[in-house]
Amino acid sequence: MVKESRVDVLIIGAGPCGLMCANALAGAGVDFRIIDNRPIGVAAGQADGIQPRTIEVLQSYGLAEPLLKDGAQMHLCAFYNPGPSGGIERTGRTADVTAPSARYPFKITIAQASIEALFIESLKSQGISVDRPIVPSSLEISEDPKELLDPSSYPVKVVLDHILPSDATPEQEIVHAKFVLGADGAHSWVRKTLGFSMDGEQSDYIWGVIDFIPDTDFPDIRNRAAIHSSNGSCMIIPREGDKVRFYLQMSDKDVMDPETGRIDKNKVTAENLINTARKTFYPYTVNEPKEVDWCSIYIIGQRVASKFSKHERVFIGGDACHTHSPKAGQGMNASMNDTHNLAWKLAQVLRGRADMSLLKTYELERQKYAQDLIDFDREFSTLFSGKPRTSENQEGVTHEQFLRAFQASGGFSSGIGVHYMPSAIVDTIHQGCAPNIIIGQRMLPQIFVRVADARPVEIQDMLPADTRFKLLLFVGLLTPEQLANVRRLAEELQLPTSFLQKYDYPAQGKVQSMFDIISITAGHKDDVNFLDLPPTFRTHWSKVLIDDTDVTGRLGGGAYPRFGIDETEITMVVVRPDGYVGMIAPSTALESMDKYFGSFLIGKTLNPVE
C-alpha cells in the first residue's frame, strides 16, 4: 500500500528560499511539510552575502541577532585600477552601502550553512524538521476550475520517492496539497514539470571563486574591494573569522579544454585560482594560503522564469525562478525575499480571511523585481568584467564610470530600493499625506519614544512578520480639538461597516488577529498622557509612541517633518505583514481604507451583494 497524506503546503527544497517560507508558515500556525533531496544541508561555499534589507527582514522574524554577532560586516568598498607602473593602485574608497535610509548600513557575510542553520534551529524549536532525502517524481494539478478556486480543496497531487541508504527501490508516497512551493534551485524539477521557460542569456564571462585564509600584503583584504587590472578583475569579500572570498575573472585558456571547447573542471584548482590572483594583485603579493575552504567556477547567466505560478496553486521561488551573477550579491537575498512575500499571503488565504486573488500579487511583485534585478545585474557585471581604461586601451571602463554605477545601484545592491507597483495591495491614491513614506517600499526605520515609559523603540521592531497588518496612526499634536477628532475617528472605526470591524478576526493560538494598531503622537513626552487616547488606539500601553527624543536627547525625534506628515491632521499608514507600505490615507478618507481592504480580504460575515 502506498502511503497517502494531505497537507496545506508542501515545500520542495530546503535552501534559504524554502526554509524562509517554512519558518514563516510555522510562525503562522500553517500545516506544511518541507522536503529536500540532499541527505544533509550545504556544507561549504555557496552564497554568503546578506544585504541591509535582508537583515531587516530576518530581524522581523527575530533571527538577525546571531548574524550580527557572528558574520563579517562590510562597511567600506575599495577600488583598484591599473597604475602607471604596470601594477594596480587604489583609486578610491566609498561606503559599501550607499542607500541613505539603511537601518544596518553594511552587508554581512557568513556561510550559507549558517543561514540555513538559523532557520533549521527555529523550526526545531517548534517541533518541525526537514524530511530528507526525498525527491518528487510526479506532480499533477487538477484542471477543474471549481476545485482550483476553492481554497479548502487539495488540487495538487505529488508523488514523493524516499531515497533509502542502500540500492533498494525508493519507497513511494502520495501527497495531496492545497499549495506547493518549488524552492528547488536553478535546475528546478518543479519549474521543468510545469513547463516554465527561463528567459535571458548566458554571458561569456567565466569566474572562479575561492574561500580561504589569505597571506598577503594587500591593505584592503578586510574590506570589500573591486580590482580592475590589466590581467582581469577580482572582487574581494571578507568573510567571518579570518576567511576571505575571491571572485576571479578567468580567461578561456585557464579553464577550457582546448579539444572540446568546454570548461574543464579539473583545471579549476585552488592553486590555479591563487596563481590568477597573483597576476591580478601585482605589485601586492598573495602567498600560499594558510587553508582553503572551497573553490568553484561558474559562467554568469542572467535569467528569469516566464511564470512564477501555475493557477496560484504551485509557485516557484528563489533560484528556481531567477539566476544572477554572484558578485552583485543578490541570489540568496532575492530568494529569501521571494518567500517572505509569499508566506503571509498563503497564511491569510488558508485561514479563509483573504481571497485567492491575493496570491496573484506574488508573481506580479516578485517577477518584476527579478527582471529589474537582472537588468541591473547585467549592467553591473558588464562593467565589472570589462577591461579597465589604460593609456593603451582608451575604450576601457573608467574608475568614474564604475563608481557611478556602483553608487547608482545602491538601492538595488542593498535591497532597500525594492518598490512594488500599484495593485490590490499597493494603493497610492493618498501618497500626498506622507510624501516621504513611499507606498510600495518598505516602512522606513525610525526611532520613536514610548509615551508610557520613555523607552526609545525602532519602529521596524514594532512590525514583526506575524501576518498582521500594522496600522500606524499618526495622531498629531494632541490639542483638545485634535483629541476630539481622534475620538470621533475611534467611534467611526467601531461602526460595523468599518474595515476594522469587518475584517478583524480575533486571535486564536498561533493565528494572530488581522490588525495591530500603533499610535504615534507629535509634541513633547512630558506633555502627553497615553491614557487620553481612546482604547481603540491604545490596545496596550506599549503601543503609544511619541515623535520626540529619548532622555539623552540623542535618539529619536523629527519623524513628522522627515515623513512629510502634517501634525495638525490624523494620518493612517498601513504596513503590510511583510513590512512594505500598502496604503496611506487621511482620517477623512475611511471609505478608501474600506475599499483597499475590501479588495482582497474576506469579511467576517458574507455581505449581501450591493
Side-chain angles (χ1 to χ4, degrees), residues 20-282:
M20 166 66 90
C21 191
N23 186 64
L25 294 178
V30 169
D31 164 45
F32 73 92
R33 258 182 86 184
I34 177 166
I35 64 163
D36 195 87
N37 60 359
R38 301 166 296 180
I40 53 168
V42 43
Q46 308 288 358
D48 68 348
I50 307 276
Q51 305 162 339
R53 173 60 193 151
T54 309
I55 307 171
E56 293 177 358
V57 168
L58 290 166
Q59 174 66 11
S60 72
Y61 291 99
L63 295 174
E65 284 307 314
L67 294 179
L68 291 165
K69 184 165 119 317
D70 301 332
Q73 296 184 6
M74 295 194 294
H75 292 262
L76 269 180
C77 186
F79 301 93
Y80 283 76
N81 283 283
S85 58
I88 54 169
E89 62 177 19
R90 188 164 80 194
T91 45
R93 293 208 297 189
T94 181
D96 190 42
V97 171
T98 54
S101 74
R103 176 179 178 187
Y104 303 98
F106 49 84
K107 298 193 185 91
I108 290 179
T109 59
I110 196 163
Q112 181 173 325
S114 305
I115 291 150
E116 294 184 5
L118 271 183
F119 289 121
I120 288 168
E121 283 304 308
S122 171
L123 289 167
K124 202 162 125 190
S125 71
Q126 301 171 73
I128 297 162
S129 58
V130 177
D131 288 346
R132 53 169 105 226
I134 295 178
V135 291
S137 55
S138 81
L139 181 151
E140 292 167 40
I141 310 175
S142 163
E143 292 297 325
D144 177 354
K146 197 160 162 260
E147 193 178 358
L148 288 170
L149 283 172
D150 174 6
S152 64
S153 70
Y154 295 82
V156 193
K157 177 182 163 189
V158 185
V159 177
L160 302 179
D161 292 348
H162 290 248
I163 311 295
L164 299 172
S166 61
D167 296 336
T169 314
E171 283 178 8
Q172 286 207 323
E173 172 191 4
I174 296 170
V175 177
H176 300 275
K178 291 179 182 173
F179 300 100
V180 171
L181 169 69
D184 50 344
H187 304 289
S188 170
W189 175 88
V190 175
R191 182 188 70 233
K192 290 171 188 160
T193 305
L194 296 173
F196 297 165
S197 59
M198 282 296 262
D199 307 330
E201 64 221 34
Q202 193 95 320
S203 72
D204 301 327
Y205 303 122
I206 305 167
W207 288 80
V209 55
I210 179 167
D211 290 342
F212 67 113
I213 294 179
D215 177 8
T216 176
D217 60 356
F218 181 73
D220 281 299
I221 195 72
R222 292 307 304 171
N223 290 315
R224 181 147 97 120
I227 301 172
H228 282 105
S229 88
S230 304
N231 296 311
S233 302
C234 172
M235 173 81 84
I236 298 178
I237 306 285
R239 290 282 303 268
E240 65 274 28
D242 296 332
K243 259 194 307 199
V244 167
R245 171 170 289 192
F246 280 9
Y247 286 113
L248 293 150
Q249 191 173 7
M250 310 298 284
S251 65
D252 290 2
K253 64 177 188 316
D254 292 336
V255 291
M256 291 293 193
D257 178 326
E259 307 215 332
T260 63
R262 291 193 164 163
I263 286 181
D264 178 357
K265 287 268 183 174
N266 298 327
K267 287 192 168 188
V268 187
T269 60
E271 197 181 351
N272 283 0
L273 291 170
I274 297 292
N275 283 335
T276 302
R278 285 192 178 119
K279 287 183 257 178
T280 304
F281 274 65
Y282 178 80

Side-chain angles (χ1 to χ4, degrees), residues 96 98-99 107 224 328 330 376-377 379-380 402-417:
D96 190 42
T98 54
K107 298 193 185 91
R224 181 147 97 120
Q330 297 298 334
F376 148 68
D377 190 18
E379 191 185 339
F380 189 79
F402 187 74
L403 187 62
R404 250 198 324 274
F406 179 84
Q407 289 176 327
S409 68
F412 256 118
S413 57
S414 62
I416 280 166

